[in-house]
């Protein structure tokens, strides 16, 4: 996952393991970006489908924007990067870059 800001530059990157509990972008990535708010992200789903919400609420395995294996999704605007939450949709943990 590549994190960006509204100035137009990448400010960090991270890999997140997404399991059966909704998770945000990892704390380590947020610390890297602490000086500049995260206004966007490019995420790549590597190993299992996930669902996301960008308003800070928790997606479930059946509710949220569905992203399949090997899909790439760009998030931009406002606090969407900081508010991003993800959950796996199957019994297999997902790896997201």
């Amino acid at each position: 996952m590549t994190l960006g800001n509204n100035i137009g530059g990448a400010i960090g990157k991270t890999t997140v393991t997404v399991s059966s509990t909704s998770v945000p972008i990892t704390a380590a990535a947020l610390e890297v970006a602490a000086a500049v708010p995260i206004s966007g992200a490019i995420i790549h789903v590597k190993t299992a489908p996930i669902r996301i919400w960008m308003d800070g609420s928790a997606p479930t395995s059946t509710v949220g924007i569905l992203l399949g294996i090997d899909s790439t999704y760009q998030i931009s605007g406002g606090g969407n990067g900081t508010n991003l939450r993800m959950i796996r949709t199957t019994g297999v943990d997902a790896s997201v870059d």
Side-chain angles (χ1 to χ4, degrees):
M1 178 179 309
T2 301
L3 310 174
N5 61 37
N6 59 3
I7 300 169
I11 57 173
K13 62 182 177 182
T14 188
T15 298
V16 178
T17 298
V18 180
S19 193
S20 59
T21 301
S22 164
V23 295
I25 296 172
T26 63
L30 292 174
E31 287 174 18
V32 168
V36 181
I38 299 169
S39 61
I42 299 172
I43 63 176
H44 176 241
V45 181
K46 292 174 35 177
T47 57
I50 65 171
R51 288 193 183 267
I52 66 170
W53 279 136
M54 295 169 285
D55 63 358
S57 62
T60 70
S61 62
T62 59
V63 177
I65 299 168
L66 178 63
L67 302 178
I69 297 171
D70 204 32
S71 63
T72 301
Y73 194 77
Q74 182 172 346
I75 298 164
S76 61
N80 289 337
T82 303
N83 293 332
L84 174 68
R85 295 194 63 86
M86 306 168 280
I87 194 168
R88 70 182 189 197
T89 62
T90 66
V92 177
D93 285 355
S95 178
V96 176
D97 284 340

